[in-house]
Amino acid sequence: MVEQAPVPSSSSAFSFLSKSWRDVRVSADADLQMIRNRANSFKNLANSLDRELENFINTASTFSVPSISSSTAAEIDFVKKLQPKLSEFQRTYSSPDFSKRVLEKWGPRGSIKINLSAIKKAIASEVDGDGFIDFDRARRRRRVQFRNFRDEEAKEKEYDYWEPIRKFKTRLREFERRSSSSVDIFEGWKSGEFIERFKSSLKAICKDPGDSKVVPPLDVPELLACLVRQSEPLLDQFGVRKDLCEKIIESLCSKRKNQFLLPALSVGESSVAGNDIISDDLDLRIASVLQSTGHSYEGGFWADQGKDDISDQKRHVSIVTTASLPWMTGTAVNPLFRAAYLAKCAEQNVTLLVPWLCKSDQELVYPSNLTFSSPEEQETYIRSWLEERIGFKADFRISFYPGKFAKERRSIIPVGDTCQFIPSKDADIAILEEPEHLNWYHHGKRWTDKFNHVVGIVHTNYLEYIKREKYGAFQAFLVKHINSWVIRAYCHKVLRLSAATQDLPKSIICNVHGVNPKFLKIGERVAVEKELGQQAFSKGAYFLGKMVWAKGYRELIDLLAKHKNDLDGFKLDVFGNGEDALEVQSAARRHDLNLNFLKGRDHADDSLHGYKVFINPSVSDVLCTATAEALAMGKFVICADHPSNEFFRSFPNCLTYSTSEDFVAKVKEAMENEPQPLTPEQRYHLSWEAATQRFLEYSDLEKFLNNENRYCRKLKGTMLKSISAPSLTEMVDGGLAFAHYSLTGNEFLRLCTGAIPGTRDYDKQHSKDLNLLPPQVENPLYGW
């Protein structure tokens, strides 16, 4: 193996070049003499040549331009002149004709010798006075020397012996490409990677004071904007609308909107952030100031750091509602379907928590004198009713919490701390059906402290019901603020089924209810009958609902009484039971209306399939389930032009009216025409599958169920939105929760606000039915 030539010194560029060529010549002569017996040594020779060329290039790259003295200027100039001749020389020896003639000349037994000293002599002899080389004479001599080569067959036999030569020519071509001109070499010294890294290292060691970015402190308008924005929950409790607060913030921030962005953001990112809401820009501004000071905020005064971390486990959803079957009300039916369809995807465990009533209350609430002696018996009834309608076995758990029936309010009030009936290991995501109702008199642990995410679903327009009572305006005012109070204290997100409900904190409007699959099957059957030319509907119009004035009976009687002559001959069947049944029937007889009152029944009953028109004049509903069921069955629906019916407007069979005269016109139109069959898209829009998907999207449950990080969210793709900033909103919410807990713990205050006596703690009968601790045993206080 030929020893590697020493690295040339930097004393002279030309001497270094000559020494390198002399080393190559010596190595090539020694190795080519042994080509027959040691063909593999040629590869080592090629590697040696590679290292020689790399040493040359690397040595050149270490030169510093300022170190080049004037004494070497002549030599550098000579290299510049010599470069074109070297390129021409390399191209000549790299030509295919040269290789062909060499292979033809030398056979397997030929002695191969390459005298590289001749190259040096040829270069020296060809140098003219100006420093240029005449390569034409060299080419003529080579043609005479190699004109008698062997034939083509020797080329194939000896082809493998010339692999090192091909590598050598390849390295020559690479050398020519990398050093096309001496000027480029020296330019590489200036802008090479080595120089850039060296400069970066110097910058890292000695920072330029001009590069440091000083974050300016918050000015007075920014501080005022932050104070107003953080005070929104407190101002909301005093009746200051949120849009007014946003206008104040916008006016304060308008002058410095373009300066809110963090200096760390790039130009493209700044343009994106500058188009966002001012509130987000203000968050970025506050975050930059806090981070520049090194401030770290670990939690608020009311924060609970004891939540279980279950990010690596299967998620658990707990649905808590205010009613249960066999009471056929919306808060009993819809949460039951929600639990079934959330459990259907099998991506999370689901628990449905429903109230348990003592036998005396069951007799007042449940129809047909139906009662249950144990929770297990009622659970069996619930599951049987559900599976008969959905057509599959729902895998979710049903639990019970103690409740009492309030006769005046016709509703069930939770007793004690409802949170304690959900084990801590399952306290992950809570869905509160009617969150304001559940928390009016809640005395226990804060929902948002025990659960990672709490979603409230508003079912009922309580303000509309209360306004109909004595001193209704005053009561509605109080209830409105109490609702906002408990929603802000106990929920992370609130879904309102329609705009008919009051505007609540943290709320958005979305219909997350679907239709019993049984009604959709009835609609499909009606569509098939119409395609076959059969008569699907043999009856006229009907109304179905609990017989209380607030369910639309007042509006119905007023409309029919006012236009009795216009609707001469129109007959309406009314199905329902309720506390106001006698009064409603008496009013109908007094106006001599053509109403046929029948007992209440399930909307899916076979006796109701033949009706063509469903009339629902109610304006107290949030989202009428009976209206959705009638549309699913392919019927006409006549309803008021009201926010509660906004979801149904897109269906062609939904006829809305805004005046009493318009009501008459819609009734006549529906009685004279046939409804259109539902399209597959419309049927899906009404289904519980679609409702569940909407719920997952709008309640932010998708990212929680997908184990997304809930506490560190990237803002604008570059930095975290400030979670280190103390939030006045969280402090206000925590303070409201603490105040509510303190007030609901006083029995006198509870009774003054209309609570049922003895609802702060469960009684002996509840402890016996639900196998709870005796009531005399003091229960621990959770979270305070």
Side-chain angles (χ1 to χ4, degrees):
M1 179 64 188
V2 178
E3 183 180 357
Q4 181 178 349
V7 178
S9 65
S10 60
S11 61
S12 172
F14 183 76
S15 61
F16 168 73
L17 180 63
S18 301
K19 187 176 181 179
S20 298
W21 280 109
R22 185 168 58 254
D23 293 339
V24 172
R25 182 199 63 191
V26 173
S27 299
D29 288 341
D31 286 339
L32 290 175
Q33 290 176 1
M34 303 167 63
I35 194 171
R36 282 179 169 274
N37 300 324
R38 300 180 62 188
N40 293 333
S41 64
F42 283 100
K43 297 182 179 179
N44 298 329
L45 173 61
N47 294 333
S48 177
L49 294 175
D50 289 345
R51 289 193 295 271
E52 292 292 337
L53 294 175
E54 290 294 336
N55 289 335
F56 174 77
I57 296 171
N58 294 334
T59 304
S61 65
T62 60
F63 291 163
S64 177
V65 175
S67 66
I68 300 176
S69 62
S70 59
S71 63
T72 60
E75 294 178 354
I76 295 175
D77 185 66
F78 174 77
V79 172
K80 294 179 180 180
K81 294 180 180 180
L82 183 62
Q83 177 64 27
K85 297 298 183 180
L86 287 175
S87 300
E88 185 177 356
F89 174 78
Q90 190 271 337
R91 286 194 299 271
T92 302
Y93 273 82
S94 300
S95 63
D97 294 336
F98 173 76
S99 299
K100 178 178 180 181
R101 286 193 294 271
V102 170
L103 291 173
E104 291 176 348
K105 177 66 178 177
W106 296 334
R109 297 182 181 181
S111 178
I112 300 176
K113 293 183 179 181
I114 298 178
N115 190 0
L116 296 180
S117 61
I119 298 176
K120 178 180 179 182
K121 294 178 180 179
I123 294 175
S125 62
E126 299 297 333
V127 175
D128 56 17
D130 296 330
F132 289 92
I133 301 175
D134 186 2
F135 281 90
D136 292 334
R137 286 183 295 179
R139 280 197 296 271
R140 287 194 295 271
R141 284 196 298 269
R142 287 197 305 273
R143 289 171 184 169
V144 173
Q145 182 180 357
F146 298 113
R147 66 183 172 213
N148 297 322
F149 286 159
R150 306 182 93 187
D151 17 34
E152 187 72 16
E153 297 181 9
K155 175 183 176 181
E156 296 295 332
K157 295 180 180 179
E158 296 295 323
Y159 186 81
D160 293 337
Y161 289 94
W162 295 96
E163 180 67 19
I165 301 300
R166 288 198 303 274
K167 288 187 176 182
F168 179 70
K169 293 193 293 181
T170 301
R171 297 301 298 170
L172 284 177
R173 288 194 295 268
E174 183 177 355
F175 177 78
E176 180 189 22
R177 178 179 59 81
R178 297 179 62 177
S179 57
S180 59
S181 66
S182 60
V183 177
D184 294 339
I185 293 176
F186 294 113
E187 288 294 332
W189 293 345
K190 296 179 181 180
S191 60
E193 183 180 357
F194 174 79
I195 300 299
E196 294 298 326
R197 289 183 178 178
F198 182 71
K199 290 166 63 179
S200 301
S201 300
L202 289 178
K203 287 184 178 181
I205 297 173
C206 302
K207 289 187 177 180
D208 187 0
D211 293 338
S212 62
K213 303 294 184 180
V214 178
V215 180
L218 296 174
D219 55 20
V220 175
E222 290 173 337
L223 290 173
L224 290 176
C226 179
L227 180 62
V228 173
R229 200 270 306 277
Q230 296 282 11
S231 302
E232 282 183 4
L234 188 61
L235 296 174
D236 180 67
Q237 292 300 125
F238 291 101
V240 180
R241 300 192 309 274
K242 183 178 180 180
D243 56 348
L244 180 59
C245 295
E246 292 176 351
K247 289 180 181 179
I248 297 174
I249 296 173
E250 184 178 0
S251 63
L252 291 171
C253 299
S254 58
K255 295 182 180 180
R256 299 209 45 192
K257 179 178 179 181
N258 296 330
Q259 302 177 20
F260 282 158
L261 303 179
L262 292 180
L265 296 178
S266 64
V267 176
E269 292 163 345
S270 298
S271 63
V272 174
N275 295 327
D276 283 343
I277 303 174
I278 291 181
S279 178
D280 289 339
D281 295 338
L282 186 59
D283 277 338
L284 284 172
R285 177 84 172 98
I286 297 171
S288 66
V289 175
L290 288 172
Q291 291 180 0
S292 67
T293 60
H295 172 74
S296 179
Y297 179 70
E298 300 297 335
F301 182 75
W302 312 107
D304 179 17
Q305 306 298 332
K307 293 181 183 179
D308 294 331
D309 183 9
I310 57 174
S311 58
D312 297 331
Q313 304 174 10
K314 191 174 182 180
R315 311 310 297 264
H316 195 105
V317 178
S318 301
I319 302 175
V320 187
T321 185
T322 57
S324 176
L325 294 179
W327 192 14
M328 298 299 297
T329 184
T331 52
V333 175
N334 291 307
L336 183 60
F337 281 108
R338 195 183 329 279
Y341 281 89
L342 280 176
K344 184 179 181 181
C345 59
E347 295 181 358
Q348 59 278 325
N349 297 321
V350 178
T351 296
L352 177 64
L353 194 64
V354 297
W356 167 259
L357 299 178
C358 297
K359 200 162 187 178
S360 58
D361 285 339
Q362 294 182 30
E363 295 173 351
L364 298 174
V365 178
Y366 299 152
S368 304
N369 296 322
L370 184 61
T371 59
F372 306 99
S373 58
S374 66
E376 292 78 14
E377 184 180 349
Q378 186 172 0
E379 179 180 352
T380 302
Y381 175 89
I382 294 172
R383 292 190 182 277
S384 176
W385 184 93
L386 177 65
E387 292 176 7
E388 180 184 351
R389 284 154 180 79
I390 62 178
F392 62 88
K393 185 175 179 61
D395 185 16
F396 65 92
R397 189 171 63 194
I398 298 179
S399 298
F400 293 84
Y401 68 88
K404 287 189 176 182
F405 181 67
K407 298 179 182 179
E408 296 78 10
R409 298 187 179 184
R410 298 295 305 173
S411 59
I412 298 174
I413 303 299
V415 176
D417 180 12
T418 310
C419 283
Q420 66 177 308
F421 297 97
I422 301 174
S424 296
K425 63 182 180 65
D426 296 335
D428 182 14
I429 298 170
I431 302 173
L432 306 183
E433 310 278 351
E434 290 196 327
E436 70 276 47
H437 183 164
L438 284 169
N439 291 295
W440 279 335
Y441 305 106
H442 176 71
H443 183 71
K445 187 167 185 177
R446 188 181 176 189
W447 294 94
T448 52
D449 286 344
K450 183 168 184 176
F451 292 85
N452 294 314
H453 190 57
V454 181
V455 181
I457 303 178
V458 179
H459 290 245
T460 309
N461 188 358
Y462 286 106
L463 301 184
E464 184 66 29
Y465 289 119
I466 293 174
K467 289 178 182 177
R468 300 169 185 264
E469 300 177 0
K470 189 177 182 180
Y471 308 112
F474 177 72
Q475 292 187 63
F477 174 80
L478 293 178
V479 171
K480 177 183 178 182
H481 288 278
I482 292 174
N483 288 345
S484 298
W485 182 355
V486 297
I487 288 293
R488 188 177 294 281
Y490 295 115
C491 294
H492 291 118
K493 191 88 177 246
V494 175
L495 301 179
R496 298 159 55 200
L497 299 179
S498 74
T501 59
Q502 73 175 89
D503 188 11
L504 293 166
K506 310 175 185 178
S507 67
I508 59 174
I509 298 173
C510 179
N511 175 24
V512 292
H513 285 178
V515 174
N516 187 334
K518 194 171 184 178
F519 294 101
L520 293 172
K521 292 180 180 179
I522 295 172
E524 293 176 2
R525 187 174 70 245
V526 169
V528 172
E529 292 176 355
K530 287 187 176 181
E531 290 180 359
L532 298 176
Q534 301 176 3
Q535 183 180 1
F537 301 111
S538 58
K539 301 177 183 179
Y542 73 107
F543 175 60
L544 178 143
K546 186 177 181 181
M547 201 167 290
V548 293
W549 286 116
K551 283 294 185 181
Y553 285 91
R554 175 67 67 188
E555 291 81 0
L556 178 64
I557 290 179
D558 290 344
L559 286 170
L560 295 180
K562 183 177 180 179
H563 297 280
K564 183 169 60 173
N565 296 330
D566 298 330
L567 294 173
D568 187 26
F570 176 72
K571 179 182 177 181
L572 183 67
D573 292 338
V574 179
F575 298 87
N577 301 319
E579 296 80 6
D580 299 330
L582 295 178
E583 295 182 14
V584 171
Q585 295 174 16
S586 176
R589 287 193 299 268
R590 186 168 59 252
H591 291 286
D592 194 21
L593 301 179
N594 193 5
L595 296 179
N596 182 27
F597 291 95
L598 302 169
K599 290 184 179 181
R601 61 193 67 181
D602 193 334
H603 204 176
D605 192 271
D606 293 340
S607 61
L608 301 177
H609 295 176
Y611 288 95
K612 182 175 67 173
V613 182
F614 175 73
I615 296 178
N616 181 19
S618 174
V619 292
S620 63
D621 290 320
V622 173
L623 188 83
C624 184
T625 303
T627 298
E629 293 169 348
L631 287 173
M633 289 189 287
K635 304 176 185 296
F636 274 125
V637 171
I638 299 176
C639 56
D641 186 4
H642 189 261
S644 62
N645 298 316
E646 185 66 30
F647 177 78
F648 306 121
R649 293 179 187 275
S650 60
F651 295 89
N653 293 336
C654 180
L655 307 177
T656 59
Y657 64 89
S658 55
T659 63
S660 59
E661 291 77 12
D662 194 17
F663 170 77
V664 175
K666 298 300 182 183
V667 169
K668 292 181 178 180
E669 178 185 349
M671 297 301 293
E672 295 171 358
N673 297 283
E674 289 294 322
Q676 301 179 20
L678 292 179
T679 64
E681 182 181 0
Q682 291 169 347
R683 283 197 294 269
Y684 174 77
H685 202 45
L686 289 169
S687 68
W688 265 105
E689 288 83 359
T692 303
Q693 186 59 41
R694 292 192 298 267
F695 172 73
L696 292 174
E697 178 182 355
Y698 285 92
S699 64
D700 296 336
L701 241 65
E702 280 186 325
K703 58 179 169 234
F704 281 90
L705 295 177
N706 292 332
N707 290 329
E708 290 191 4
N709 195 329
R710 301 180 293 278
Y711 307 108
C712 299
R713 301 178 185 175
K714 291 250 182 179
L715 180 64
K716 312 258 188 318
T718 57
M719 68 169 294
L720 294 178
K721 198 170 183 177
S722 176
I723 61 172
S724 61
S727 173
L728 182 59
T729 301
E730 295 177 359
M731 295 176 64
V732 170
D733 293 348
L736 290 173
F738 179 77
H740 184 265
Y741 175 84
S742 301
L743 293 174
T744 55
N746 187 288
E747 185 67 19
F748 175 75
L749 294 177
R750 292 174 65 94
L751 296 177
C752 290
T753 55
I756 302 175
T759 55
R760 193 187 72 172
D761 301 300
Y762 53 81
D763 55 21
K764 293 182 179 180
Q765 187 61 45
H766 279 123
S767 64
K768 179 181 179 181
D769 294 342
L770 298 174
N771 297 319
L772 304 175
L773 291 175
Q776 62 268 21
V777 177
E778 184 178 358
N779 294 324
L781 299 181
Y782 298 92
W784 307 107

